Amino acid sequence: MNTLTRALLFFLYIFPLFARGQDSVKTHYNLEECIALALKNNADAQKSANSSQAASLDLKQAKAALLPTLSGTLNHNINTGFSTDPITNAIVSQNITSGNQNLSTNLVLFNGLNLLRTIRQQAFAYQATQMDEQRIKDNLTMDVILAYLQVITANDALDQYKQQRDVTQKQLERLALLNKDGAIAPGEYYDVKGQFSGDQITVLTGENTLRTNIITLTALLNIPYSQALSFEPINQLPDVSSASLSQETLYDKAASSLGTLKAAQFWKESAEYQLKATRSLYFPSLSLGANLSSRYSNADRDRGTYMDQIQDNLGKGAGLTLSIPILDGFRRRINVSRAKLELRNAEIDLENTENNLQQQTAQVLINLQTAKEKYLELRQQVEAYKESFRVAEVRFEAGDINSVEFLLQKTKYDQANIGLVVAQYEWQLRQRIANYYNGQR
């Protein structure tokens, strides 16, 4: 089999695999898929998860400090010439091989409850980082919802721009024939032609806005931008007749479901136990220690083998150690003062978080009600301008009104349609934000 044949067979084998790989690249997403992808890929979400794991390790380390320590040492020495026998301390002139072995353990019996309070501090810190992780994911979810709705809004607005351009184009084509035959004043034709150019520019601007919004969304999802990307529209509007939420109910729901307030509460409790743990260092500490030691030397052959000497020279010991802090350069006092400041900062953060959440929930309900009323009013306006434009179009084609009056009615209708598209998704956004604060995921 020659080289060309091998290359051809290799290409025929690899190309279908490559094609299947290309086909498997996902290019169409809905809102739920975007949220899940962002929570999985977003750098801030991943870092927050790592912070929670690090806090979990700190908690494990604090608990492990209750266990006794255990350490062993083993050294081996070789001396030549005049040396001191480590067993008899006699001066000898020979090569001596010697060694020491030691095994020691220590257990803290009491240190002013510092270890227990440190465990409580780290436990609350771990819970706080978990809530911080949830808060970051909550914020990321809201950012994705906003970016997604901006993409859908831009896409629907672009469709409206194209429909408006197509309507203008049809009138322009009709007027071009009439102008060629001299059946209308030239100004009528050129007015509509100018409007058509403006509509073309609006379409180009809408396309740029759509691409920009998609790039913003892909940045949150941490996926490459592609012109092939598409996103599923949201056709279902919130229920007009749905009952209104009270501000107190929404605040209570948000406080219990979102991580923002919980994180601040846990950080405050962690700071309280940090202060207690720091104060406990004023107390004396009591620890229990024990050790085993032995040694070996080949200076005296009569002492037996290595293992024999270890057994014969085995020493045991145990004792209690009481450490009383007297003066340490005021380090303990300064550390307590720092812990008080950290606790005060945590209390300020908690109070500020409570106020912010109360203000946010109030603003959420105001924005929701405003968006709902705005949509309903714009829907009526579109219906009115739709009929007005239909009449104007008929009269314009009949020659009863000029191009200025026609374009004025068209502009009103076009602007009302765009406003309705924006209001529709703004209502959708405000309702989803309210649902999120209400604990509905």
Side-chain angles (χ1 to χ4, degrees):
M1 184 180 296
N2 57 34
T3 304
L4 180 60
T5 304
R6 290 193 184 95
L8 181 60
L9 291 175
F10 177 80
F11 177 80
L12 292 175
Y13 174 76
I14 290 297
F15 182 77
L17 297 178
F18 177 79
R20 284 198 296 271
Q22 291 293 100
D23 292 340
S24 64
V25 177
K26 187 174 179 61
T27 58
H28 185 74
Y29 297 92
N30 59 32
L31 178 57
E32 287 70 24
E33 290 172 336
C34 286
I35 293 174
L37 194 60
L39 295 177
K40 177 183 176 183
N41 291 347
N42 186 268
D44 291 337
Q46 294 181 41
K47 288 180 180 179
S48 66
N50 291 338
S51 297
S52 294
Q53 292 182 9
S56 174
L57 295 177
D58 291 339
L59 177 58
K60 289 180 180 179
Q61 186 175 6
K63 291 179 177 179
L66 292 174
L67 301 175
T69 61
L70 180 65
S71 62
T73 59
L74 178 67
N75 64 67
H76 195 77
N77 303 311
I78 298 177
N79 298 315
T80 61
F82 282 96
S83 303
T84 300
D85 185 348
I87 304 298
T88 63
N89 290 326
I91 303 299
V92 295
S93 178
Q94 68 180 85
N95 295 336
I96 295 180
T97 300
S98 62
N100 295 306
Q101 304 81 32
N102 184 72
L103 186 65
S104 61
T105 184
N106 190 73
L107 175 64
V108 176
L109 300 178
F110 177 79
N111 67 340
L113 302 179
N114 176 267
L115 294 178
L116 295 177
R117 289 169 175 173
T118 300
I119 290 174
R120 294 293 294 166
Q121 174 203 345
Q122 294 298 338
F124 282 120
Y126 175 48
Q127 290 176 296
T129 55
Q130 287 182 309
M131 292 300 101
D132 280 336
E133 179 183 356
Q134 181 185 333
R135 174 182 57 80
I136 290 174
K137 291 181 176 180
D138 289 340
N139 293 339
L140 177 60
T141 299
M142 298 311 302
D143 290 342
V144 171
I145 292 174
L146 174 60
Y148 189 94
L149 290 176
Q150 286 178 335
V151 169
I152 301 303
T153 302
N155 187 70
D156 283 8
L158 180 59
D159 290 340
Q160 286 291 329
Y161 297 147
K162 290 179 178 178
Q163 292 176 16
Q164 294 164 8
R165 180 196 59 187
D166 293 342
V167 171
T168 305
Q169 184 177 12
K170 290 179 181 179
Q171 288 293 343
L172 182 62
E173 291 171 352
R174 184 182 69 84
L175 293 176
L177 295 176
L178 296 175
N179 183 61
K180 184 178 180 181
D181 296 337
I184 60 171
E188 302 286 337
Y189 168 73
Y190 288 109
D191 280 345
V192 177
K193 186 175 182 180
Q195 178 66 37
F196 178 72
S197 297
D199 290 348
Q200 288 278 45
I201 294 173
T202 302
V203 169
L204 292 174
T205 303
E207 290 174 344
N208 180 72
T209 301
L210 175 59
R211 287 193 291 267
T212 301
N213 290 345
I214 291 177
I215 290 174
T216 301
L217 179 57
T218 56
L220 292 172
L221 305 183
N222 199 18
I223 61 174
Y225 168 77
S226 171
Q227 292 187 355
L229 288 174
S230 61
F231 300 91
E232 187 173 320
I234 302 175
N235 297 320
Q236 183 179 2
L237 283 172
D239 187 4
V240 177
S241 61
S242 59
S244 299
L245 292 170
S246 68
Q247 197 274 324
E248 293 77 11
T249 301
L250 188 61
Y251 173 81
D252 293 339
K253 288 283 188 177
S256 62
S257 63
L258 299 181
T260 304
L261 187 57
K262 290 181 180 180
Q265 291 170 339
F266 285 134
W267 281 123
K268 175 180 173 293
E269 294 182 66
S270 177
E272 289 176 348
Y273 273 95
Q274 182 183 10
L275 176 58
K276 292 179 181 179
T278 306
R279 281 174 170 167
S280 64
L281 295 178
Y282 283 133
F283 293 90
S285 62
L286 180 65
S287 60
L288 172 65
N291 70 84
L292 291 174
S293 63
S294 186
R295 55 187 177 176
Y296 159 81
S297 174
N298 68 344
D300 190 351
R301 303 291 183 181
D302 296 335
R303 296 183 183 276
T305 63
Y306 182 84
M307 294 303 301
D308 292 337
Q309 290 195 39
I310 289 179
Q311 294 178 2
D312 294 340
N313 298 326
L314 185 63
K316 305 173 184 178
L320 293 172
T321 301
L322 179 65
S323 178
I324 303 175
I326 298 176
L327 182 65
D328 64 345
F330 298 104
R331 283 194 296 271
R332 289 180 176 84
R333 179 175 295 182
I334 292 173
N335 288 337
V336 168
S337 297
R338 287 198 181 101
K340 289 180 179 178
L341 291 176
E342 292 181 9
L343 174 58
R344 181 54 188 151
N345 286 336
E347 291 172 344
I348 293 172
D349 289 340
L350 176 58
E351 182 180 357
N352 187 59
T353 302
E354 289 174 342
N355 291 334
N356 286 342
L357 186 59
Q358 191 275 339
Q359 294 160 5
Q360 289 169 5
T361 51
Q363 190 65 54
V364 162
L365 293 179
I366 292 172
N367 291 340
L368 175 60
Q369 185 64 26
T370 301
K372 176 182 177 180
E373 294 175 357
K374 182 179 179 181
Y375 171 79
L376 297 177
E377 289 295 331
L378 281 171
R379 190 169 64 178
Q380 295 180 5
Q381 186 185 60
V382 167
E383 291 298 322
Y385 281 150
K386 179 180 180 181
E387 180 61 21
S388 176
F389 174 68
R390 185 191 67 80
V391 173
E393 191 173 27
V394 173
R395 294 183 64 193
F396 180 60
E397 291 176 355
D400 293 339
I401 61 174
N402 58 29
S403 59
V404 175
E405 294 174 297
F406 168 75
L407 292 177
L408 179 62
Q409 293 299 326
K410 182 179 183 301
T411 300
K412 289 181 179 179
Y413 181 50
D414 292 344
Q415 290 177 347
N417 274 316
I418 297 301
L420 183 63
V421 169
V422 175
Q424 170 184 340
Y425 287 112
E426 183 179 359
W427 184 18
Q428 183 73 247
L429 172 64
R430 300 305 179 187
Q431 183 64 62
R432 285 181 176 269
I433 292 175
N435 291 344
Y436 212 82
Y437 275 86
N438 199 32
Q440 301 175 17
R441 299 294 188 265

